[in-house]
Amino acid sequence: MDTQLARLSRGASPQEDSFAGNLLAGLSKTPKEIACKYFYDESGSRLFDAICDLPEYYQTRTEMALLSRHAAEIAALMGEGVEIVEFGAGSLRKVRILLDAACNPRAYTPLDISGDYLCNVVRSLAADYPALTLRPLVGDFTLPLEIPTLPGPMRRAGFFPGSTIGNFKPDAAMALLRRMRSTLNGGGLLVGVDLVKDPVRLHAAYNDAAGVTALFNKNLLARANRELGADFDPEGFAHYAPYNAAAHRIEMYLVSLKRQSVSLCGQRFDFAQGEPVHTEDSHKYTMESFREMAARAGFNPRAVWTDQDRLFSLHWLESR
Ligand code: AVI
């Protein structure tokens, strides 16, 4: 069993690809911004796991229920002896449902940006699936990537759960789907997509009573302090996550509560009182609008499953 962590080669410049580079560039812009992929260091990944268990965050439990309910049908669509490639592997809780239903899966290849986190979760998966080839890959799936093929003929099936697709602007989401299609070499893709719904419900999901999402957002600042020796005061910023109904998206910001200056990598950044730093968008789709986008990205949208309350959707897309 191969559970060695491998690093994917990347096509991006070091500037684009590093937390320091992204922060320096993003905080020099007006309005200021930080890319949401930097949420997921070890402690950010753990905070995100805690978000998934929150009563307000309906997404994870709804998607897990959909996966369980339709696992046999999904396994049949994936086919026998498949290599499952998961984009942004997270905690691996969801893929276990697929692995349990799949017909003799040949390999599982999780891709994640956080190497430490991936290493821990894959270790526990290896113990439970001793016959499965595990190929954890550390890398950024938003960049062009080529996964080495296993010997012999084999079909790939992609798995992109959790509505992570919603964290990309629609143009970037379409480009990402196109890249995934080429990584999958003709295989299908199972995608989880959060749906447009009552704004009050959406707002609550990103403004939980226990304040976990606020900690997750502020972890960007704590991470900059830990890794880059910055001197952010996380208490000097507020978590702000309104729903933009016209654009069908939650927007997440860190808002400076006072006039303040922060030093980072030898540079000084000034924040006005009330100045926002944009940290994330979470786009919501209708089932139809997502199928249209997938078709424009070169997929044939096939089966789609949703729950009774139409909170969340799972889409099986075939490559054409
Ligand atoms: C990972 N992603 C789909 C989550 C979302 O809902 O957009 C990230 C998140 N941000 C705040 N809460 C959860």
Side-chain angles (χ1 to χ4, degrees):
M1 173 187 12
D2 176 13
T3 55
Q4 291 288 93
L5 281 182
R7 283 188 187 271
L8 284 166
S9 57
R10 303 140 193 246
S13 65
Q15 165 80 0
E16 230 182 306
D17 199 19
S18 79
F19 182 39
N22 181 272
L23 266 181
L24 291 171
L27 297 182
S28 304
K29 289 184 184 165
T30 311
K32 293 181 170 66
E33 63 182 28
I34 306 174
C36 66
K37 67 182 176 184
Y38 295 107
F39 281 132
Y40 303 95
D41 66 343
E42 169 111 34
S43 81
S45 297
R46 300 223 173 269
L47 283 165
F48 181 63
D49 282 352
I51 288 176
C52 292
D53 291 333
L54 289 169
E56 296 95 332
Y57 200 76
Y58 56 85
Q59 298 185 33
T60 311
R61 60 177 176 273
T62 310
E63 186 177 40
M64 300 263 285
L66 284 174
L67 284 169
S68 300
R69 192 169 315 135
H70 302 289
E73 217 177 323
I74 294 168
L77 288 165
M78 286 186 168
E80 181 151 8
V82 74
E83 176 187 14
I84 298 178
V85 176
E86 184 169 359
F87 298 98
S91 73
L92 311 189
R93 280 194 287 180
K94 293 169 192 166
V95 80
R96 283 172 182 262
I97 302 172
L98 292 185
L99 290 171
D100 289 342
C103 323
N104 302 317
R106 163 109 185 260
Y108 171 55
T109 304
L111 302 172
D112 203 89
I113 198 167
S114 168
D116 296 342
Y117 187 79
L118 188 60
C119 199
N120 287 336
V121 291
V122 164
R123 207 171 288 137
S124 77
L125 195 82
D128 296 338
Y129 297 86
L132 189 69
T133 299
L134 295 173
R135 302 203 300 159
L137 297 175
V138 182
D140 180 351
F141 66 79
T142 66
L143 305 176
L145 56 91
E146 199 154 314
I147 301 172
T149 46
L150 287 163
M154 201 196 22
R155 196 172 133 88
R156 278 187 177 149
F159 184 39
F160 192 34
S163 203
T164 303
I165 191 78
N167 296 133
F168 296 81
K169 295 198 189 312
D171 281 356
M174 199 157 76
L176 180 62
L177 288 175
R178 283 213 168 100
R179 278 201 295 280
M180 287 179 173
R181 193 169 65 92
S182 95
T183 303
L184 294 172
N185 289 338
L189 176 65
L190 182 68
V191 196
V193 182
D194 195 18
L195 297 174
V196 170
K197 60 180 66 62
D198 177 357
V200 173
R201 183 146 204 181
L202 279 168
H203 185 270
Y206 293 82
N207 293 275
D208 59 284
V212 183
T213 312
L215 280 179
F216 174 71
N217 200 5
K218 290 184 189 186
N219 180 56
L220 283 171
L221 308 180
R223 179 178 178 185
N225 291 350
R226 278 193 301 270
E227 286 183 21
L228 307 172
D231 60 358
F232 281 105
D233 167 18
E235 295 315 307
F237 290 83
H239 163 73
Y240 179 55
Y243 181 60
N244 179 337
H248 300 163
R249 65 176 182 236
I250 288 282
E251 296 172 0
M252 219 154 79
Y253 301 92
L254 289 163
V255 178
S256 179
L257 291 170
K258 56 189 179 194
R259 231 179 109 184
Q260 55 186 320
S261 299
V262 172
S263 84
L264 169 73
C265 303
Q267 289 189 38
R268 194 183 113 152
F269 294 91
D270 297 321
F271 295 82
Q273 182 173 17
E275 185 175 355
V277 181
H278 179 248
T279 55
E280 188 181 58
D281 284 331
S282 192
H283 294 86
K284 310 304 169 188
Y285 290 88
T286 63
M287 287 198 282
E288 298 69 30
S289 66
F290 184 74
R291 284 166 69 85
E292 274 163 29
M293 183 170 81
R296 274 186 277 126
F299 283 103
N300 274 329
R302 295 289 188 200
V304 55
W305 301 275
T306 189
D307 53 291
Q308 233 182 5
D309 299 324
R310 295 192 155 231
L311 296 177
F312 201 88
S313 58
L314 267 183
H315 298 251
W316 175 252
L317 311 175
E318 273 172 12
S319 294
R320 43 168 142 89

